[in-house]
Amino acid sequence: MSVNQLIVKNFKKNLKNYYLYIFALLFSVALYFSFVTLQFDPSMDDVEGSIKGGAAIKAASVLLVAIITIFLLYANTIFIKRRSKEIGLFQLFGMTKQRIFRLLTAENFMIYFGSLILGIFTGFALSKLVMMILFKITGVADVAKLHFSTQALTQTLLVFTVIYLFIMIMNYIFIKKQTILSMFRVQSSSEEKGKKITWFEIVIGLLGIVMIVTGYFVSSKLFDGDFTSTNILFLAMIFILGSVILGTYFFYKGSVSFLFQLIRKKKDGYLKVGEVLSLSSIMFRMKSNALLLTIITTVSALAIGLLSLSYISYYSAEATAKQQVPSDFAFTETNDAERFTQALTDAGIDYKQENIDVIMVNVDIREILQTTFEGVSFDSNSMTLPVISEKSVGIELSKEETLFTGYSDLMQKLIPLDSEGKITLHGKTKSFPQTYLGMEKETYVSSYYSYGMPTAIVDDSVFNQLSKDKEIEIQSLSSTNIAIDLLDPKQNQEANNIFLSMKLNENAPNDSQLHTLNLQKRNMGLVMFIVGFLGLSFLVTSGCILYFKQMGESEEEQPTYTILRKLGFTQGDLLSGLRVKQLFSFGIPLVIGLLHSYFAVQSGWFLFGAEVWTPMIIVMALYTILYSLFGILSVMYSKKVIKEAL
């Protein structure tokens, strides 16, 4: 048989083992090509806000290359080890290592570049869909067009050719350093099996659980006022990161084996066949794969956490816009407001206008402040806040009462206030002791006056006295918040177009709620799209890696299945145990990753938006569903191996 015939025959024989590798490679190429196509698409000029669309895509493509490269190199390592016995047989038949390397190179070349070409065509076909999704998320009113970029093609070919060269170098080093004997035992020696659990592993297992729980506890207290300086806050974040990641490694290295050993002890060693196939296998497999599982869990938590936070910002865009601009339109200059209202009248758009007088007052909030600040420039004796009259908002208060309103979740976490207490309003010459009644969510004036801080509502007579005795130095340029609301919400877009088309005073901070909302969605939509793209790529690559591992384990344990089948156990008996095994193999990293991301999001979600539960649950549910598909595929493959065992 000639070398060419051997290459073709070997290629056909191994093709069935490479189907998921081919799928993953094709998916990676399609994902990367469609992603890079966005970078060179002229339409990306429309996806701009505070972030340049093309630049953001370019930066994300670098991370995407890193994820894909690590995945393909690791996948190749798994498959070359699976073929170690075959390589050893070639050497026994007299083939040199150089000839074997050429054979594998030719086989890899056909698989790799065949998948590369198909992936590019698939990515080109999907690029329009990807662009449509991006336009939909960012709110760009443009038509997505199918655009083929030669620059994207060149960049994709270059990147994946370099990855292919790395794969060939890895294969050459592997074949070069292995002996014939080691080729026949490389797979079986790659993982620890049946090794007795030591006291050291029990100790680090318990330590791992303690470290994870401690990291969670500290993260829950991160912005509760317990860390009173920026240096301490930074050290706390470093501690959380180190504690959780190292604790996760210790958990896989010792905790899983220890917990399952306790289950075995409780049963006095009398395990059913399903428990033998699941518990016993997982105990030692997870210990030997501790580093890999730690990486997968950590990056999964990072992907879920970042996607949750970006979706929180996107999902909270409307609430954030209403907090910044509580009315449909807000003006601080009378001339601009009059021009705009005249334009609305000319366009036949009905509206109502409300003017709220605002003065800036220094307020002593020491008695209602829940924390103290060290190393931060903050004076609680004299915090400047906007003050409005009770008559402006239809609230009745006595002369000694003050109500705060419109305090953002972020500022409430950073500067927490009590629900009641005593405060003092300071005029230029007089002071007004007040009873603080608490906080309301409703916002009445634009962020031009408040900057996220609360607005104080006081009795009308107190407001008039403060107005006469105000300190000129701390007053805003405008003392009137002119709020304009449309009577018909359906005309909001038309009114917003009029607002944007008018040449208003640039020095006067005039705002449109709809325009603020669109900017927020455009900026955070782009971030969410990029993070989602990267998260999807990691989800697929990590899922494939775990699936490859389960494939190898199932094939390695096939002789055990054959013996059990000959002893009279049915396919159902074996499959029930393997289902439990796959549930733990995929479920434990998923659950730990979800817990990591949950506590990470809970510790700082308020920095990104006003809503947390709905966006976080949606992201976690979608990630769980997609991740579970690989577990189902593993069960199906195990079923196939069991069927072929006898």
Side-chain angles (χ1 to χ4, degrees):
M1 183 182 294
S2 66
V3 175
N4 290 336
Q5 290 175 322
L6 184 61
I7 290 173
V8 174
K9 187 173 182 179
N10 207 47
F11 175 76
K12 291 180 180 179
K13 181 174 76 69
N14 286 290
L15 192 59
K16 64 179 181 179
N17 295 324
Y18 279 89
Y19 69 94
L20 192 61
Y21 176 70
I22 294 172
F23 162 75
L25 180 58
L26 192 150
F27 175 84
S28 300
V29 175
L31 195 70
Y32 182 77
F33 182 76
S34 59
F35 197 74
V36 175
T37 298
L38 295 180
Q39 180 184 336
F40 300 104
D41 197 308
S43 301
M44 282 304 296
D45 293 337
D46 295 327
V47 188
E48 292 184 12
S50 61
I51 301 175
K52 175 73 175 175
I57 296 292
K58 185 176 182 179
S61 66
V62 176
L63 292 176
L64 188 59
V65 168
I67 293 172
I68 291 172
T69 302
I70 294 171
F71 162 65
L72 291 178
L73 292 177
Y74 188 85
N76 179 73
T77 302
I78 293 175
F79 279 102
I80 196 70
K81 286 182 178 180
R82 290 182 64 194
R83 299 187 61 185
S84 57
K85 291 182 180 179
E86 181 184 341
I87 295 171
L89 285 173
F90 285 153
Q91 287 185 262
L92 283 177
F93 293 154
M95 292 182 67
T96 64
K97 290 185 177 181
Q98 287 76 13
R99 198 171 185 182
I100 294 171
F101 175 71
R102 287 200 299 269
L103 187 148
L104 291 178
T105 300
E107 182 182 313
N108 266 285
F109 183 87
M110 289 187 287
I111 293 174
Y112 191 91
F113 285 96
S115 301
L116 179 60
I117 294 171
L118 287 175
I120 288 174
F121 278 110
T122 305
F124 173 64
L126 291 175
S127 60
K128 182 178 179 179
L129 175 62
V130 172
M131 182 65 76
M132 289 172 62
I133 294 172
L134 178 59
F135 282 177
K136 180 66 176 178
I137 292 174
T138 55
V140 174
D142 200 355
V143 178
K145 299 176 182 178
L146 197 61
H147 172 74
F148 184 82
S149 171
T150 54
Q151 293 171 296
L153 175 63
T154 303
Q155 187 169 318
T156 302
L157 291 173
L158 179 62
V159 166
F160 281 89
T161 300
V162 172
I163 295 174
Y164 175 76
L165 293 176
F166 278 122
I167 290 174
M168 292 302 99
I169 292 172
M170 285 183 62
N171 289 348
Y172 180 79
I173 294 173
F174 176 80
I175 295 172
K176 193 73 175 176
K177 72 177 185 178
Q178 298 292 338
T179 63
I180 296 177
L181 184 60
S182 64
M183 285 291 186
F184 285 97
R185 63 186 183 190
V186 65
Q187 190 172 357
S188 60
S189 63
S190 61
E191 295 182 345
E192 302 173 24
K193 294 183 297 181
K195 197 174 180 181
K196 187 177 179 180
I197 298 175
T198 63
W199 279 105
F200 175 73
E201 291 170 345
I202 293 175
V203 170
I204 66 170
L206 293 173
L207 181 62
I209 295 175
V210 171
M211 291 177 73
I212 292 174
V213 173
T214 303
Y216 289 168
F217 176 77
V218 176
S219 71
S220 66
K221 301 293 183 180
L222 204 56
F223 292 98
D224 284 354
D226 297 326
F227 304 100
T228 55
S229 72
T230 53
N231 290 333
I232 295 176
L233 186 64
F234 175 74
L235 292 175
M237 291 179 177
I238 296 296
F239 171 79
I240 294 168
L241 193 63
S243 177
V244 171
I245 293 177
L246 190 59
T248 302
Y249 176 76
F250 287 165
F251 177 81
Y252 289 124
K253 198 70 177 175
S255 301
V256 176
S257 300
F258 175 61
L259 293 174
F260 285 178
Q261 181 68 14
L262 291 179
I263 296 175
R264 292 177 66 179
K265 288 280 187 182
K266 188 176 181 181
K267 293 178 177 288
D268 294 326
Y270 295 101
L271 302 178
K272 298 178 182 178
V273 64
E275 294 168 336
V276 172
L277 292 174
S278 57
L279 298 182
S280 300
S281 177
I282 294 170
M283 284 175 61
F284 304 107
R285 299 282 187 185
M286 282 203 167
K287 181 168 62 175
S288 61
N289 295 322
L291 181 59
L292 171 66
L293 292 173
T294 301
I295 294 172
I296 289 177
T297 301
T298 303
V299 183
S300 290
L302 184 64
I304 297 171
L306 290 176
L307 187 56
S308 295
L309 292 174
S310 60
Y311 189 37
I312 285 171
S313 293
Y314 184 82
Y315 190 87
S316 305
E318 186 172 351
T320 303
K322 286 182 178 180
Q323 193 170 54
Q324 293 178 359
V325 189
S327 53
D328 290 334
F329 299 91
F331 291 84
T332 57
E333 191 173 281
T334 304
N335 291 337
D336 286 341
E338 289 176 351
R339 288 175 56 208
F340 179 68
T341 53
Q342 183 60 49
L344 292 181
T345 303
D346 294 341
I349 299 175
D350 296 326
Y351 64 91
K352 64 177 181 179
Q353 178 176 330
E354 184 178 5
N355 296 347
I356 300 177
D357 292 329
V358 184
I359 57 175
M360 305 304 293
V361 176
N362 288 325
V363 183
D364 184 349
I365 62 167
R366 282 178 296 177
E367 292 190 27
I368 63 171
L369 193 63
Q370 293 181 1
T371 186
T372 57
F373 296 90
E374 298 176 7
V376 179
S377 178
F378 178 78
D379 185 8
S380 60
N381 300 341
S382 183
M383 186 169 71
T384 304
L385 297 179
V387 177
I388 61 177
S389 169
E390 59 177 352
K391 287 188 175 181
S392 301
V393 293
I395 296 176
E396 292 186 4
L397 297 172
S398 70
K399 293 182 179 180
E400 294 80 23
E401 293 177 337
T402 296
L403 179 68
F404 280 4
T405 182
Y407 203 26
S408 67
D409 293 319
L410 170 60
M411 297 307 297
Q412 178 63 26
K413 282 287 184 180
L414 297 178
I415 309 176
L417 301 178
D418 289 328
S419 58
E420 58 183 19
K422 298 292 183 179
I423 62 173
T424 303
L425 308 178
H426 295 292
K428 187 174 183 179
T429 59
K430 299 179 182 178
S431 295
F432 300 84
Q434 297 282 292
T435 299
Y436 167 64
L437 300 181
M439 184 77 64
E440 280 191 357
K441 279 286 186 181
E442 190 71 27
T443 304
Y444 294 103
V445 297
S446 70
S447 58
Y448 165 71
Y449 299 98
S450 61
Y451 295 101
M453 299 299 289
T455 299
I457 305 176
V458 299
D459 175 74
D460 187 58
S461 61
V462 174
F463 178 83
N464 291 331
Q465 292 181 65
L466 285 169
S467 183
K468 294 176 182 178
D469 193 40
K470 62 186 176 183
E471 293 189 35
I472 304 300
E473 295 80 8
I474 64 173
Q475 300 306 309
S476 302
L477 294 177
S478 170
S479 61
T480 304
N481 180 84
I482 305 173
I484 297 174
D485 287 295
L486 305 183
L487 299 181
D488 185 2
K490 294 180 180 179
Q491 296 178 308
N492 206 339
Q493 184 61 58
E494 183 182 355
N496 187 62
N497 292 337
I498 295 173
F499 175 84
L500 295 177
S501 65
M502 295 182 67
K503 294 182 179 180
L504 302 173
N505 186 353
E506 295 181 358
N507 297 322
N510 304 311
D511 291 307
S512 161
Q513 187 184 106
L514 181 59
H515 181 58
T516 303
L517 171 63
N518 291 338
L519 287 178
Q520 175 85 352
K521 282 193 171 184
R522 183 167 298 186
N523 291 339
M524 295 316 304
L526 179 60
V527 173
M528 186 176 70
F529 174 81
I530 292 173
V531 173
F533 221 88
L534 296 175
L536 178 62
S537 65
F538 179 78
L539 168 66
V540 173
T541 53
S542 60
C544 286
I545 287 174
L546 287 178
Y547 178 74
F548 294 156
K549 296 288 291 182
Q550 298 307 312
M551 284 176 62
E553 291 175 13
S554 296
E555 292 178 359
E556 188 178 339
E557 294 171 354
Q558 191 174 37
T560 305
Y561 304 153
T562 302
I563 295 172
L564 292 173
R565 288 295 308 280
K566 288 180 178 179
L567 290 175
F569 291 100
T570 64
Q571 291 185 31
D573 295 331
L574 303 185
L575 194 59
S576 62
L578 290 176
R579 285 197 187 102
V580 176
K581 175 187 173 183
Q582 305 301 356
L583 178 64
F584 281 111
S585 297
F586 285 88
I588 291 177
L590 175 63
V591 171
I592 298 298
L594 290 174
L595 283 174
H596 288 356
S597 61
Y598 168 79
F599 281 96
V601 171
Q602 284 294 321
S603 67
W605 66 269
F606 46 85
L607 298 170
F608 297 85
E611 301 286 342
V612 59
W613 285 106
T614 300
M616 184 175 66
I617 290 173
I618 289 174
V619 169
M620 289 184 173
L622 287 175
Y623 198 93
T624 301
I625 292 170
L626 293 174
Y627 202 84
S628 300
L629 294 177
F630 292 98
I632 296 172
L633 288 173
S634 295
V635 173
M636 293 172 63
Y637 188 83
S638 299
K639 185 177 181 180
K640 174 188 172 185
V641 174
I642 292 173
K643 190 175 181 180
E644 295 173 351
L646 189 63

